Amino acid sequence: MRTYHCFWLLFWAGQPHQSFLTLLSKRTSGFPEKEKVLVLSGNNRRDLSRSKRSWMWNQFFLLEEYTGTDYQYVGKLHSDQDKGDGSLKYILSGDGAGDLFIINENTGDIQATKRLDREEKPVYILRAQAINRRTGRPVEPESEFIIKIHDINDNEPMFTKDVYNASIPEMSDVGTSVVQVTATDADDPTYGNSARVVYSILQGQPYFSVEPETGIIKTALLNMDRENREQYQVVIQAKDMGGQMGGLSGTTTVNITLTDVNDNPPRFPQSTYQFRAPESTPPDSPIGRIKANDADLGENAEIEYSITEGDGFDMFGITTDKDTQEGILTVKKALDFENKNLYILKVEATNTHVDPRFLYLGPFKDSATIRIQVEDVDEPPVFSRPAYIIEVKEDVPINSVIGTVTAQDPDAAKNPVKYSVDRHTDMDRVFNINSGNGSIFTSKTLDRETLLWHNITVIAAEINNPKQSSRVPVFIKVLDVNDNAPEFAMFYETFVCENAKAEQLIQTLSAVDKDDSYSGHQFSFSIAPEAASSSNFTLQDNRDNTAGIFTRKTRYNRHEMSTYLLPVVISDNDYPIQSSTETVTIRVCACDHRGKMLSCNAEALIHPTGLSTGALIAILLCIIILLVTVVLFAALRRQRKKEPLIISKEDIRDNIVSYNDEGGGEEDTQAFDIGTLRNPEAIDDNKLRRDIVPETLFMPRRTATTRDNTDVRDFINQRLKENDTDPAAPPYDSLATYAYEGNGSVAESLSSIESLTTDGDQDYDYLSDWGPRFKKLADMYGSMDSDKDS
């Protein structure tokens, strides 16, 4: 509470005249009120005459936030023309006149009717005038004055944000700026210290400090480590009155987060790691994981693993899992327990992003030792070669040995090996193998002209554990022997003109031979001996694998003989010599003088007229119409076959669809192999074609240990998907038969497909006693055992 003392002000309003304002003190409503009286002197007794002049006002001061019950007194207006007889009337206009400010028209007293707030409006401009009450004419000119609201400290400082969020790197130097906070005060900054704000820290020491005048928060403690503490909450106070006692204050919260820097090197939790790896582990397979701990975050914690030394430097590799920052130890080459069963490696973990500022903390890497123990497993046999190529002549007798494959058990036990031919690669059973020594022999005759290459697969399995098996491709090339006679390259049917001259060439012949000839084919042509003497034609061998047919006489008569058949003998020069007799058909025709054929029909002379052009066109049109009809009929039948099974919309009963699809029997070598369904793991993706020469030789693939698997879930799911997506399927539940019989039959199976999975030899001689219906099986299996011992 301040006390306002009265004072006197004197104003000059013209050169010869003057006005003065007298402020008198008066007590009202508990405040030290001052009666502000404005006395206007109308004349100067020292002057010889009186002239009219304007008013000059100073400003009135009014305290804001007045809490009294009565109107707050502002001041008093008085004109020197006022004689006190009530003849003058005072009028007030301007900001708030009649509402906030009222004037007593008789006395000139001004009062404020409401509580005023400087922050809403600090200055009010009003105009005053004294008029003659009787005439209504002003006795003084209208003058303007100001009422200024005096400020009190009624507003506390307000921060621009309720909560500030800031971050700073850990390990920052003392005095590093974090964030600046700002508070404003609505009080008058030009009047006293009401709006002078000073900042101080209430919470957050000794880690942070704040500058009193600017509000800048800075670090106050050295080496603040994020790994020890990451979040800090600082409370800042802003206080007006320059921070003196009695000032108003406001607070805000600042959440400060320490961001990570790379100030921690990676460290292995242990110095030695031990892993075990079976020797059958495929290359590029993981065998274990290691992890070096890094207390940093993000890229500061990224680690790169490497093998620096060890006896398994070229056998193993290590990569980094970017998600977990673990080191994945993998096998680079095939392991062999019998060759080496223990490897010792040294692995190093290094930070990929190193901050040079913290190198003084030590090297940002760590190392550990890894011991890898190779475990022995029962390995399948290993063939002596990755692939075998065998050449055999096509005339080799049946049961002749054409080559041998060799495989050994790489384990220390050296288990004996049994050989067999994969019948999926030899469906015609052209070859067999001795199960004991691996000798391959023929079981059927060979024909190079039918199939030049036979690509088969030989299986070597341990006798004690048949599931341990390996495969090797065997490429058998059939060499040619001269077992095919030459023959005409095409069917020859020629003509001779009736007016032909002797020794005239009418046809040139050529021949081909299915056999190969290393020096090139050489064919000889001659007329068959039985027709050479009586023939009307001669044959001349050109010695270039061609021959020409010439006329022997001058004229021919088609009415006497319309067609001649000329037998020609063709021989080759290979060993043994092969020959064949081919027939050339020669027709006698009528020709013009240029030798162009006119007609070869003997009846043409009797019926010289042929079909007219119109008749030929009519016949052609009939043929075209007939063909179009047949095509349309076939298309309609095909469309009718694709119609839905249910024609009637009312028939919604469940139906059983029978596909009536049977296999091709034992001789259907391209049929589906049901044995694959019963043992899906035995599928060989690298089966070779048997009718072409292989481009490359592949390493034999060792077959991993397979387990008995009779689950045909994949087969059923595939068929189910096909039926679900079939557009011709009925719109109701139906029964689809997948033709899979399953295992567990008491009578077992007589199929050769099932017999492929048996391990031991079987005697099929009993099939001969079952009657004529089993004669075919008895012939196939009675004398041709795939694993017959020689």
Side-chain angles (χ1 to χ4, degrees):
M1 189 73 65
R2 289 182 175 84
T3 302
Y4 294 87
H5 301 279
C6 61
F7 55 91
W8 294 80
L9 292 176
L10 181 63
F11 303 94
W12 298 91
Q15 291 295 331
H17 306 288
Q18 62 180 358
S19 297
F20 58 92
L21 175 66
T22 305
L23 299 178
L24 300 178
S25 176
K26 183 179 179 181
R27 302 285 297 179
T28 60
S29 304
F31 282 92
E33 274 192 8
K34 301 164 181 63
E35 182 176 319
K36 307 173 183 65
V37 182
L38 179 61
V39 180
L40 299 176
S41 177
N43 56 17
N44 191 337
R45 292 181 176 84
R46 292 176 296 178
D47 296 341
L48 297 177
S49 61
R50 179 181 179 272
S51 61
K52 204 166 190 176
R53 71 250 184 253
S54 300
W55 294 352
M56 241 182 137
W57 305 84
N58 200 356
Q59 58 187 1
F60 290 107
F61 292 95
L62 191 63
L63 196 64
E64 69 169 332
E65 302 295 343
Y66 172 70
T67 58
T69 57
D70 298 333
Y71 289 164
Q72 188 177 8
Y73 185 77
V74 179
K76 183 180 182 65
L77 297 179
H78 184 72
S79 174
D80 56 358
Q81 299 291 328
D82 189 358
K83 305 300 183 180
D85 55 0
S87 60
L88 294 184
K89 178 181 179 181
Y90 295 97
I91 298 175
L92 189 65
S93 62
D95 293 343
D99 181 17
L100 291 178
F101 303 100
I102 60 175
I103 188 170
N104 189 316
E105 61 183 14
N106 296 321
T107 64
D109 292 328
I110 302 174
Q111 291 179 310
T113 62
K114 296 181 180 179
R115 178 186 299 180
L116 302 178
D117 189 357
R118 189 204 65 83
E119 286 71 34
E120 293 181 2
K121 189 174 179 64
V123 176
Y124 294 86
I125 301 175
L126 294 94
R127 292 177 298 278
Q129 193 174 32
I131 63 174
N132 188 294
R133 186 183 297 273
R134 181 172 55 83
T135 63
R137 298 181 65 181
V139 298
E140 298 287 350
E142 186 180 54
S143 298
E144 185 177 82
F145 66 95
I146 297 174
I147 299 178
K148 186 173 182 181
I149 309 302
H150 256 302
D151 182 46
I152 65 173
N153 189 19
D154 59 343
N155 292 279
E156 69 275 4
M158 299 291 294
F159 283 94
T160 56
K161 295 181 181 179
D162 293 334
V163 177
Y164 289 83
N165 293 302
S167 62
I168 187 173
E170 62 174 332
M171 309 296 290
S172 296
D173 297 332
V174 174
T176 303
S177 297
V178 180
V179 68
Q180 183 177 15
V181 296
T182 304
T184 59
D185 196 316
D187 292 326
D188 188 1
T190 63
Y191 182 75
N193 293 327
S194 299
R196 183 188 173 195
V197 178
V198 174
Y199 301 94
S200 61
I201 184 168
L202 301 182
Q203 176 183 321
Q205 295 174 330
Y207 307 103
F208 300 94
S209 63
V210 62
E211 291 186 354
E213 300 296 332
T214 62
I216 298 177
I217 301 175
K218 297 182 178 181
T219 57
L221 191 64
L222 186 65
N223 295 333
M224 286 191 293
D225 194 359
R226 183 200 64 82
E227 287 73 30
N228 294 331
R229 182 177 178 182
E230 183 177 5
Q231 298 287 341
Y232 294 86
Q233 189 175 75
V234 179
V235 178
I236 301 297
Q237 175 184 267
K239 190 174 183 179
D240 59 12
M241 298 298 292
Q244 298 177 4
M245 184 72 69
L248 303 179
S249 64
T251 60
T252 187
T253 301
V254 182
N255 294 322
I256 302 175
T257 302
L258 296 185
T259 58
D260 186 58
V261 297
N262 192 6
D263 59 340
N264 292 280
R267 290 290 180 263
F268 283 106
Q270 57 192 74
S271 59
T272 303
Y273 294 85
Q274 293 191 4
F275 295 100
R276 293 181 178 272
E279 63 175 334
S280 59
T281 304
D284 299 328
S285 298
I287 60 174
R289 289 173 175 252
I290 61 175
K291 182 176 176 59
N293 299 324
D294 194 323
D296 296 321
L297 297 176
E299 68 175 13
N300 297 322
E302 292 182 359
I303 300 173
E304 187 71 26
Y305 296 90
S306 61
I307 298 176
T308 57
E309 59 183 72
D311 53 1
F313 189 82
D314 58 339
M315 298 296 295
F316 300 93
I318 190 168
T319 58
T320 302
D321 188 334
K322 298 301 181 181
D323 296 330
T324 62
Q325 297 300 317
E326 292 179 313
I328 305 174
L329 194 64
T330 58
V331 177
K332 293 172 61 177
K333 296 181 179 181
L335 303 176
D336 189 358
F337 173 82
E338 289 73 24
N339 185 27
K340 186 176 180 63
N341 57 16
L342 178 63
Y343 294 89
I344 299 177
L345 308 174
K346 185 178 181 180
V347 178
E348 189 173 79
T350 307
N351 274 142
T352 56
H353 300 85
V354 178
D355 194 334
R357 297 176 300 170
F358 305 103
L359 289 177
Y360 68 91
L361 297 176
F364 282 77
K365 60 183 178 180
D366 195 15
S367 60
T369 301
I370 298 179
R371 298 171 58 88
I372 302 173
Q373 183 71 44
V374 180
E375 296 178 340
D376 188 23
V377 296
D378 190 4
E379 298 178 273
V382 177
F383 283 94
S384 59
R385 300 180 189 175
Y388 293 85
I389 297 178
I390 300 175
E391 293 182 349
V392 57
K393 291 186 177 181
E394 60 179 324
D395 61 347
V396 65
I398 297 177
N399 294 330
S400 299
V401 176
I402 62 174
T404 302
V405 297
T406 304
Q408 292 183 351
D409 183 12
D411 297 323
K414 301 297 180 182
N415 294 321
V417 177
K418 174 185 175 181
Y419 302 92
S420 62
V421 176
D422 185 357
R423 291 306 173 189
H424 295 90
T425 61
D426 186 24
M427 302 295 291
D428 297 331
R429 296 181 176 270
V430 180
F431 303 96
N432 275 326
I433 190 170
N434 187 299
S435 61
N437 58 21
S439 299
I440 301 174
F441 56 90
T442 59
S443 58
K444 289 184 180 180
T445 57
L446 304 177
D447 186 6
R448 188 203 66 85
E449 290 72 32
T450 302
L451 189 60
L452 175 61
W453 284 89
H454 295 266
N455 302 333
I456 66 174
T457 300
V458 174
I459 304 173
E462 295 181 8
I463 295 179
N464 298 335
N465 186 9
K467 294 180 180 179
Q468 291 293 340
S469 62
S470 297
R471 296 168 177 263
V472 68
V474 179
F475 309 111
I476 303 173
K477 182 179 181 180
V478 181
L479 302 178
D480 184 49
V481 295
N482 191 25
D483 58 347
N484 291 279
E487 57 187 15
F488 280 150
M490 58 181 293
F491 175 74
Y492 289 103
E493 183 178 6
T494 186
F495 71 95
V496 62
C497 294
E498 288 183 308
N499 56 358
K501 298 179 181 180
E503 301 299 326
Q504 181 178 343
L505 176 66
I506 61 174
Q507 182 66 50
T508 300
L509 306 176
S510 62
V512 293
D513 194 335
K514 295 180 180 180
D515 294 323
D516 283 338
S517 177
Y518 298 103
S519 60
H521 291 291
Q522 185 64 44
F523 303 126
S524 60
F525 300 86
S526 63
I527 298 177
E530 62 272 14
S533 59
S534 60
S535 176
N536 293 306
F537 301 91
T538 61
L539 183 68
Q540 179 180 341
D541 192 345
N542 297 327
R543 303 299 179 183
D544 59 355
N545 294 337
T546 63
I549 300 176
F550 294 86
T551 56
R552 175 174 286 183
K553 59 182 183 178
T554 301
R555 296 185 62 84
Y556 295 86
N557 190 340
R558 56 178 168 163
H559 299 288
E560 296 177 358
M561 180 68 69
S562 62
T563 303
Y564 293 93
L565 299 178
L566 181 64
V568 177
V569 178
I570 310 172
S571 303
D572 58 21
N573 63 345
D574 290 334
Y575 179 83
I577 296 177
Q578 301 287 341
S579 64
S580 65
T581 301
E582 303 287 334
T583 301
V584 179
T585 302
I586 304 174
R587 301 176 63 189
V588 180
C589 301
C591 302
D592 58 11
H593 64 282
R594 294 189 300 269
K596 183 178 181 180
M597 181 181 63
L598 298 177
S599 174
C600 294
N601 191 353
E603 288 77 12
L605 296 176
I606 303 175
H607 304 284
T609 59
L611 294 176
S612 64
T613 304
L616 292 175
I617 294 175
I619 293 173
L620 182 60
L621 289 176
C622 291
I623 293 174
I624 293 174
I625 293 173
L626 181 60
L627 290 176
V628 171
T629 304
V630 171
V631 172
L632 291 176
F633 181 72
L636 289 175
R637 290 200 59 180
R638 180 176 298 179
Q639 183 177 4
R640 187 175 304 169
K641 289 181 180 180
K642 293 184 179 180
E643 292 179 354
L645 298 178
I646 296 301
I647 304 301
S648 175
K649 296 181 179 179
E650 298 178 356
D651 190 358
I652 58 174
R653 297 171 299 173
D654 293 351
N655 286 345
I656 297 177
V657 181
S658 178
Y659 297 100
N660 295 325
D661 186 10
E662 296 185 2
E666 295 291 341
E667 295 183 357
D668 186 4
T669 60
Q670 303 301 325
F672 183 79
D673 179 17
I674 197 68
T676 303
L677 294 177
R678 295 176 178 170
N679 191 7
E681 298 180 0
I683 298 177
D684 188 0
D685 295 333
N686 296 323
K687 288 182 180 178
L688 304 172
R689 294 183 58 180
R690 299 179 291 129
D691 55 342
I692 61 173
V693 181
E695 296 181 358
T696 58
L697 302 181
F698 302 96
M699 291 291 294
R701 182 174 61 87
R702 299 183 182 181
T703 303
T705 303
T706 60
R707 56 182 177 83
D708 293 334
N709 185 3
T710 59
D711 186 8
V712 292
R713 186 186 306 110
D714 294 339
F715 172 75
I716 298 232
N717 289 337
Q718 180 182 358
R719 293 295 185 272
L720 181 61
K721 182 177 181 181
E722 293 175 358
N723 281 274
D724 289 341
T725 57
D726 186 6
Y732 49 77
D733 294 339
S734 60
L735 179 62
T737 302
Y738 297 144
Y740 177 69
E741 193 177 42
N743 291 332
S745 174
V746 177
E748 297 184 346
S749 174
L750 297 177
S751 172
S752 62
I753 298 176
E754 180 67 20
S755 64
L756 290 178
T757 60
T758 59
D759 299 332
D761 297 336
Q762 296 187 23
D763 185 8
Y764 297 98
D765 294 336
Y766 62 89
L767 296 176
S768 303
D769 302 329
W770 286 14
R773 293 186 178 181
F774 296 89
K775 186 176 183 303
K776 181 65 176 179
L777 292 175
D779 294 338
M780 293 179 61
Y781 294 94
S783 60
M784 294 182 293
D785 186 3
S786 63
D787 298 329
K788 184 177 67 176
D789 298 340
S790 61

